[in-house]
């Protein structure tokens, strides 16, 4: 097993490098960029996220006020809205952001820093990328962790019950509910919850934004716990819909496949009780794919599904931060978080494979290789 783990760890290196190359190339080809964000601020058309730029950029803004030395048409064609700005100002901006170097050199410099987990400093927030990620991580972890736990706690028993009573009335109507839930996008369900329960048009039972109330620090501990879950209720419910449906059907199908195998018939013929057959023999084999997929499911909810939910409910987590970084072309924040969480996802995939072995020791990845 040690050799298999070593091979998987070594495979992470080219996989991570390839993902970073593809994303770096796509972002560089996309219109707009940090320099365009600075220019739009000077023109008074920037978005809120560009309101804060570093001290060096403030000095460069003063340089832009120098009269004369207007850009030629050939120069202004490179940056949208740059007509009328001092060419030296544009050059200083390029130097500050590192755009005075060729693309391959910029990429290799970036990857060299990332290997040492030095993700640099945000262009527009005057903070290190690591500090920003640490600040936003609790919100996203709260959403991902509670959603994953609730999905597993509800879906596994429900899937087992559906498999036992396959074809019954209970199985039919629960399948209808599950399919409808799977067909509704999480973000659309989130909007529906806001309209119904968060002061949209009907009831005002739940808060519309934030993870805690403004007076959270002044509340006693039991009120803090209630306030925390009160704010989580709607976002977690919106995230539950798709994952709940998928895992329920996966659990049911896994159990049905195992129940129809010969070893189950043999166990019943020996006089074992139905509970002993289901939970002593079938459960381990049926739950193999479900339990081993827990790390991947958590990573998916933490870094993928949270994006729109955090934006809709104004939760200041990694999803909302990533969205704002993409809008403002905050490259250090974009690529730094991409590198870190891609690496984390690859490691979690390895942990998922190891959980297969923990659940069923008969699986031997190293022997198969």
């Amino acid at each position: 097993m040690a050799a298999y783990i070593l091979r998987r760890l070594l495979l992470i290196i080219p996989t991570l490098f390839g993902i970073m190359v593809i994303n770096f190339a796509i972002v560089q080809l996309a219109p707009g960029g940090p320099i365009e964000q600075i220019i739009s601020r000077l023109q008074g058309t920037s978005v809120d996220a560009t309101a804060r730029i570093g001290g060096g950029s403030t000095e460069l803004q003063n340089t832009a006020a120098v009269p004369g030395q207007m850009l030629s048409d050939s120069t202004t064609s490179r940056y949208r809205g740059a007509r009328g700005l001092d060419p030296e100002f544009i050059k200083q901006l390029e130097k500050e952001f590192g755009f005075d170097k060729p693309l391959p050199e910029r990429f290799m410099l970036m990857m060299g820093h990332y290997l040492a987990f030095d993700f640099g400093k945000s262009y527009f927030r005057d903070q290190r990328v690591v500090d920003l990620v640490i600040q936003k991580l609790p919100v996203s972890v709260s959403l991902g962790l509670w959603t994953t736990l609730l999905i597993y706690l509800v879906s596994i028993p429900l899937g087992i019950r559906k498999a036992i009573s396959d074809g019954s009335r209970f199985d039919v109507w629960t399948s209808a509910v599950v399919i409808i839930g799977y067909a509704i996008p999480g973000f659309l369900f989130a909007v529906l919850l806001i309209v119904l329960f968060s002061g949209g048009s009907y009831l005002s039972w739940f808060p519309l934004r934030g993870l805690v109330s403004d007076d959270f620090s002044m509340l006693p501990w039991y009120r803090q716990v209630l306030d925390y879950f009160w704010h989580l209720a709607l976002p977690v419910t919106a995230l539950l819909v798709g994952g709940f449906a998928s895992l329920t059907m996966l659990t049911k199908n896994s159990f049905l496949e195992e129940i129809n195998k010969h070893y189950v018939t043999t166990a019943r013929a020996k006089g074992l009780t139905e509970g002993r057959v289901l939970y002593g023999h079938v459960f381990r084999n049926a739950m193999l794919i479900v339990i081993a997929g827990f790390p991947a499911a958590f990573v998916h909810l933490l870094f993928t599904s949270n994006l729109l939910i955090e934006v809709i409910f104004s939760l200041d987590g990694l999803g909302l931060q990533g969205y704002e970084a993409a809008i403002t072309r905050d490259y250090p924040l974009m690529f730094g978080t991409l590198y870190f969480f891609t690496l984390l996802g690859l490691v979690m995939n390895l942990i998922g494979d190891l959980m297969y072995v923990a659940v069923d020791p008969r699986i031997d990845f190293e022997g198969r290789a």
Side-chain angles (χ1 to χ4, degrees):
M1 182 57 68
Y4 171 77
I5 295 175
L6 180 60
R7 287 196 302 269
R8 286 293 302 272
L9 291 175
L10 292 176
L11 186 61
I12 287 176
I13 298 175
T15 305
L16 180 61
F17 185 82
I19 291 173
M20 293 301 297
V21 167
I22 293 173
N23 284 273
F24 185 83
I26 292 174
V27 170
Q28 299 303 320
L29 293 174
I35 294 181
E36 282 85 350
Q37 296 293 328
I38 299 297
I39 292 173
S40 65
R41 174 168 171 77
L42 295 175
Q43 302 294 341
T45 59
S46 64
V47 294
D48 292 340
T50 61
R52 293 183 60 197
I53 55 177
S57 297
T58 304
E59 179 182 351
L60 293 173
Q61 291 182 53
N62 297 331
T63 308
V66 178
Q69 295 184 339
M70 311 303 279
L71 289 174
S72 64
D73 291 339
S74 62
T75 309
T76 57
S77 61
R78 183 176 178 183
Y79 298 110
R80 184 179 302 174
R83 186 185 302 273
L85 296 179
D86 186 351
E88 292 300 321
F89 169 69
I90 299 298
K91 291 180 180 178
Q92 290 180 52
L93 276 180
E94 290 178 338
K95 184 176 181 180
E96 178 177 347
F97 289 116
F99 293 161
D100 57 333
K101 300 179 179 65
L103 280 177
E105 182 179 351
R106 283 161 49 193
F107 177 77
M108 296 309 297
L109 285 173
M110 180 186 75
M111 291 301 296
H113 290 299
Y114 286 3
L115 288 176
F117 289 93
D118 177 12
F119 301 118
K121 191 175 181 181
S122 169
Y123 285 159
F124 304 111
R125 299 184 182 224
D126 298 329
Q127 289 181 271
R128 295 191 312 153
V129 170
V130 173
D131 295 335
L132 287 170
V133 170
I134 292 175
Q135 290 175 14
K136 313 299 182 184
L137 193 58
V139 175
S140 296
V141 168
S142 295
L143 285 176
L145 182 61
W146 289 115
T147 302
T148 306
L149 288 176
L150 287 174
I151 286 174
Y152 271 75
L153 288 175
V154 174
S155 297
I156 292 178
L158 179 60
I160 295 174
R161 172 69 187 281
K162 285 174 64 63
I164 295 173
S165 57
D166 183 41
S168 66
R169 182 176 299 178
F170 172 82
D171 180 45
V172 172
W173 74 260
T174 52
S175 294
V177 173
V178 165
I179 292 173
I180 293 173
Y182 186 76
I184 300 176
F187 70 89
L188 185 61
F189 192 65
V191 174
L192 177 63
L193 291 175
I194 290 175
V195 172
L196 293 178
F197 302 110
S198 193
S201 300
Y202 299 94
L203 304 173
S204 298
W205 290 352
F206 297 95
L208 181 59
R209 58 185 301 147
L211 190 62
V212 293
S213 300
D214 294 335
D215 59 345
F216 180 79
S217 60
M218 302 174 62
L219 299 174
W221 69 268
Y222 63 92
R223 290 285 303 276
Q224 288 182 344
V225 173
L226 293 175
D227 182 77
Y228 170 72
F229 285 108
W230 183 47
H231 282 77
L232 274 179
L234 294 187
V236 169
T237 302
L239 284 170
L240 278 173
V241 179
F244 169 78
S246 302
L247 187 61
T248 299
M249 298 307 296
L250 177 63
T251 303
K252 176 191 173 181
N253 294 333
S254 298
F255 256 77
L256 282 177
E257 182 180 356
E258 293 297 324
I259 287 174
N260 295 323
K261 290 185 177 179
H262 293 299
Y263 74 89
V264 176
T265 304
T266 303
R268 287 171 174 166
K270 289 181 177 179
L272 296 180
T273 63
E274 191 67 16
R276 180 72 181 275
V277 172
L278 289 175
Y279 297 100
H281 294 272
V282 176
F283 186 83
R284 170 180 287 186
N285 296 327
M287 288 296 98
L288 177 61
I289 188 172
V290 176
I291 297 175
F294 182 87
F298 176 70
V299 171
H300 170 73
L301 284 168
L302 185 58
F303 308 126
T304 306
S305 300
N306 279 4
L307 173 61
L308 290 176
I309 300 301
E310 289 183 8
V311 173
I312 291 172
F313 287 98
S314 299
L315 297 172
D316 196 12
L318 294 172
L320 182 60
Q321 178 177 264
Y323 171 77
E324 293 177 347
I327 293 297
T328 60
R329 302 297 195 272
D330 195 340
Y331 289 169
L333 191 55
M334 290 173 61
F335 292 124
T337 53
L338 173 67
Y339 177 89
F340 177 76
F341 292 123
T342 300
L343 178 61
L344 179 61
L346 294 172
V347 173
M348 293 299 281
N349 284 335
L350 174 59
I351 294 176
D353 287 347
L354 297 180
M355 287 188 68
Y356 278 104
V357 180
V359 174
D360 189 349
R362 294 173 299 175
I363 296 178
D364 184 5
F365 288 109
E366 188 170 358
R368 183 184 63 180

